[in-house]
Structures are given as structure tokens and as C-alpha cells.
């Protein structure tokens, strides 16, 4: 926290009279070029400065992956028109096996996407997450690297990829008692046996599942 606060303060100092809420991507690029060419900062220090500036688009990608249990190929193909805020649904078009499906749009994710869309410049026109350079959908490899960078910065040493967010989505739904048939549809699996592979992970969490009796007692709906 101390490191990030220091890096942000350095950035704000260089901004001068530019209001922070009026920042554009060009301001960030110029600042990072200045740090590299003029200040000649080391690679590690540059990484700290970049991370401290919090790339909201990258965060939004990772939140989207986990909140809806999406494959990385589905994340990069999401279009603005696929986000249905009225019905609180996300449309996944032509997914694996050429299968369309709907998944729930988390209210928290919707807020995150609205903040990202409001603050990011240039705003996406077709795809939810567009490349600044080309305006096309993000390459899958780039999103995988974004996850790897976030994992490294969080100090997570386990050898997992972005697909682990999809696994976690399914496992956590199982832990909450969600019927595996519903999880199958949310993940877009054709065969229930594909979904059942998540069960062996969930069984490790059985010790943490509270009895419904405990919940009733804690909520004071019954007494002893």
C-alpha cells in the first residue's frame, strides 16, 4: 500500500493542474514514456507505477470472467449489445460447439462495467473490450497475460491460468448448493459429466458448509 500510494502521488505531482477525473489514456502514456526516457526508472519500478494506476479495463475483464464463468474466448468476443442491463443477462453468442446461451449479469459486475465504460478513453464501439491500437477484439493471448500479471502481483504462486476463474465460478456455485444442472447450462456444457468434474473440488469444502439449523438459530428464527 505504501509503495502504491507513493507511486500515485508521484503521478499526481507530474499532472500539475490537470484534474485527475479528466485523465485520458494519452496522459498515462506520456507519463510512462517520461518515466522510462527521462527518469530512466528500472523495470520493477515501472511495473509498480503501472500497477498503481489501476487499469480498469483489465480489472473489468477479470471480474467478467469470474462473475459469469466465461471462457477466455467468450470474453474477447463479447459485444456491447450482448450486455442486457434491463433483463440482467449476458448473451454468449456462438460459443464452444456453436452454442448460444444466456448467463446472469451480476449487479456488481454491471456497476464495474459502467465505471469502466465511463472512465475509459477511447470508449469501445463494438466489442466490450477493444484494443486501443486496432479497435478490434482483444487477442486471447493478451487476456491470458493480463491474468498472469494480476496473479503475479497478488503473490499467487500456484500454476493456474485464467480458466481457473471459470472453475472457481462453478465450484463456488456448488458450495452454495446450486443444482449442478443449472451450472451445466451456465457453463455451456453439452454433457452433465463435463460439469461433474467440478464436484471433486467442492467436496473439500464440505467441512465449511453450515447446517440450515445453524442459519435459523443465528438469524434468531428459533431459540433453544
Amino acid at each position: 500500500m505504501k509503495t502504491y500510494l507513493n507511486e500515485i502521488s508521484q503521478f499526481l505531482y507530474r499532472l500539475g493542474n490537470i484534474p485527475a477525473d479528466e485523465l485520458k489514456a494519452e496522459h498515462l502514456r506520456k507519463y510512462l514514456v517520461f518515466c522510462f526516457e527521462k527518469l530512466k526508472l528500472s523495470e520493477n519500478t515501472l511495473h509498480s507505477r503501472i500497477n498503481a494506476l489501476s487499469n480498469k479495463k483489465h480489472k473489468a475483464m477479470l471480474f467478467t470472467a469470474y462473475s459469469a464463468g466465461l471462457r477466455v474466448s467468450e470474453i474477447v468476443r463479447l459485444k456491447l449489445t450482448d450486455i442486457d442491463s434491463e433483463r440482467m443477462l449476458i448473451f454468449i453468442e456462438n460459443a464452444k460447439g456453436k452454442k448460444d446461451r444466456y448467463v446472469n449479469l451480476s449487479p456488481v459486475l454491471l456497476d464495474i462495467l459502467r465505471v469502466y465504460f465511463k472512465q475509459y478513453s477511447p470508449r469501445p464501439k463494438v466489442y466490450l473490450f477493444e484494443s486501443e491500437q486496432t479497435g478490434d477484439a482483444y487477442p486471447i493471448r493478451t487476456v491470458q497475460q493480463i491474468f498472469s500479471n494480476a496473479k503475479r502481483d497478488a503473490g499467487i504462486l500456484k500454476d493456474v491460468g485464467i480458466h481457473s476463474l471459470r472453475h472457481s465460478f462453478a465450484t463456488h456455485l456448488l458450495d452454495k448448493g446450486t443444482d449442478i444442472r443449472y451450472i451445466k447450462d451456465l457453463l455451456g456444457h453439452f454433457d452433465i459429466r463435463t460439469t461433474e468434474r467440478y464436484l471433486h473440488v467442492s467436496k473439500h469444502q464440505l467441512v465449511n458448509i453450515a447446517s440450515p439449523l445453524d442459519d435459523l438459530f443465528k438469524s434468531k428464527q428459533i431459540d433453544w
Side-chain angles (χ1 to χ4, degrees):
M1 287 178 65
K2 288 181 179 178
T3 299
Y4 280 6
L5 286 172
N6 178 64
E7 301 296 3
I8 290 174
S9 66
Q10 293 292 328
F11 174 60
L12 293 177
Y13 172 76
R14 294 293 175 183
L15 279 180
N17 296 325
I18 302 173
D21 58 358
E22 294 180 8
L23 284 178
K24 304 294 182 184
E26 185 60 29
H27 294 125
L28 298 180
R29 279 193 289 269
K30 287 182 178 179
Y31 173 69
L32 294 174
V33 169
F34 169 79
C35 290
F36 178 73
E37 294 183 348
K38 300 295 183 182
L39 300 184
K40 301 188 183 301
L41 299 182
S42 68
E43 183 177 349
N44 287 339
T45 302
L46 281 172
H47 278 193
S48 293
R49 297 212 168 175
I50 293 171
N51 294 334
L53 297 176
S54 300
N55 189 318
K56 293 189 182 298
K57 178 162 68 173
H58 292 178
K59 285 187 175 183
M61 287 180 182
L62 300 181
F63 279 116
T64 301
Y66 172 69
S67 73
L70 302 184
R71 302 176 178 94
V72 64
S73 60
E74 296 168 348
I75 297 169
V76 298
R77 288 202 305 267
L78 278 178
K79 296 179 180 178
L80 297 174
T81 52
D82 294 334
I83 307 300
D84 188 341
S85 58
E86 291 187 4
R87 295 192 296 164
M88 296 302 289
L89 293 171
I90 302 175
F91 178 55
I92 311 300
E93 182 181 12
N94 198 23
K96 189 175 181 179
K98 297 183 178 180
K99 182 180 180 182
D100 296 343
R101 74 182 189 279
Y102 282 95
V103 297
N104 293 339
L105 172 59
S106 156
V108 173
L109 177 63
L110 180 59
D111 287 342
I112 290 169
L113 292 177
R114 282 173 171 165
V115 171
Y116 147 65
F117 192 75
K118 179 180 178 181
Q119 296 186 3
Y120 201 80
S121 178
R123 290 186 177 183
K125 295 180 177 61
V126 178
Y127 293 97
L128 187 61
F129 304 111
E130 291 180 348
S131 169
E132 294 178 24
Q133 287 74 28
T134 65
D136 296 327
Y138 257 55
I140 288 177
R141 184 70 191 92
T142 301
V143 181
Q144 291 170 332
Q145 187 60 51
I146 288 169
F147 174 83
S148 296
N149 293 344
K151 182 168 69 79
R152 178 201 63 211
D153 295 338
I156 298 173
L157 302 179
K158 191 173 181 179
D159 185 20
V160 293
I162 191 171
H163 200 73
S164 63
L165 296 179
R166 179 170 158 89
H167 279 249
S168 298
F169 167 80
T171 302
H172 294 163
L173 286 182
L174 281 170
D175 291 343
K176 289 174 59 177
T178 306
D179 192 308
I180 194 171
R181 292 171 297 178
Y182 298 139
I183 298 174
K184 167 185 170 293
D185 291 339
L186 289 172
L187 294 175
H189 289 158
F190 286 97
D191 193 328
I192 190 69
R193 289 174 296 183
T194 305
T195 315
E196 286 173 347
R197 66 180 178 173
Y198 294 98
L199 280 172
H200 77 279
V201 179
S202 184
K203 286 177 182 176
H204 294 303
Q205 305 299 325
L206 288 175
V207 69
N208 297 320
I209 298 177
S211 165
L213 178 64
D214 297 338
D215 294 334
L216 290 172
F217 187 78
K218 289 178 180 178
S219 62
K220 298 182 179 180
Q221 295 184 49
I222 60 172
D223 56 21
W224 176 245

